[in-house]
Amino acid sequence: MSQGVSRRVLLLQGLLAGAGAALVRVGAAQPAEPRVIELVARRFVYEPNEIVLKAGERVIIAIRSLDFVHGMNIPDLDRRLDLVPGKITRLELQPQAAGEIEFVCDNFCGEGHETMHGRFVVRA
């Protein structure tokens, strides 16, 4: 093999190795799809009423109301949602710190309404 051909082969190998490394970096930079967690609202409970999350993880809470237009108030996040029967309401979260985030129903739904609450528990 001539010296010119050897240099071209080495140059081509170096370019391919660099391109492969760039593809690995691009692939690592892609954000992961958020985890989807289902939550059901019905008189007088949220099911589940406690949801464990990881700090920094993107999640979507897919909420269905079975029987009434419940309200979901999340004071610590300054968020409020109307949960309409027959519709899925999506709440996207990415909590950054460990702790607890409380949520309550704020549409009076009858006797027992005061027991309709839950929380997100965020772990580091």
Side-chain angles (χ1 to χ4, degrees):
M1 191 181 311
S2 74
Q3 191 172 3
V5 171
S6 295
R7 285 185 187 156
R8 279 184 261 160
V9 169
L10 287 174
L11 179 61
L12 182 59
Q13 286 175 339
L15 288 172
L16 290 175
L23 286 175
V24 168
R25 283 192 301 273
V26 169
Q30 297 293 327
E33 288 294 315
R35 178 169 59 123
V36 177
I37 301 168
E38 293 186 10
L39 177 68
V40 173
R42 66 175 175 81
R43 286 185 178 100
F44 303 101
V45 295
Y46 289 104
E47 295 175 327
N49 68 346
E50 182 175 288
I51 297 173
V52 178
L53 306 174
K54 289 187 240 173
E57 177 187 29
R58 282 180 52 219
V59 297
I60 293 176
I61 311 297
I63 312 160
R64 289 184 303 124
S65 172
L66 299 182
D67 56 8
F68 184 78
V69 180
H70 294 283
M72 184 179 204
N73 190 349
I74 314 167
D76 290 341
L77 301 179
D78 197 27
R79 299 287 302 270
R80 191 195 172 284
L81 308 166
D82 282 319
L83 311 176
V84 179
K87 288 188 169 186
I88 295 177
T89 303
R90 295 167 51 97
L91 171 66
E92 187 165 345
L93 299 174
Q94 188 170 9
Q96 297 302 312
E100 294 184 359
I101 302 167
E102 303 286 331
F103 55 89
V104 298
C105 178
D106 65 358
N107 285 348
F108 183 74
C109 52
E111 294 297 319
H113 165 77
E114 65 279 352
T115 65
M116 191 167 177
H117 55 86
R119 66 185 177 161
F120 300 112
V121 177
V122 183
R123 298 204 173 123

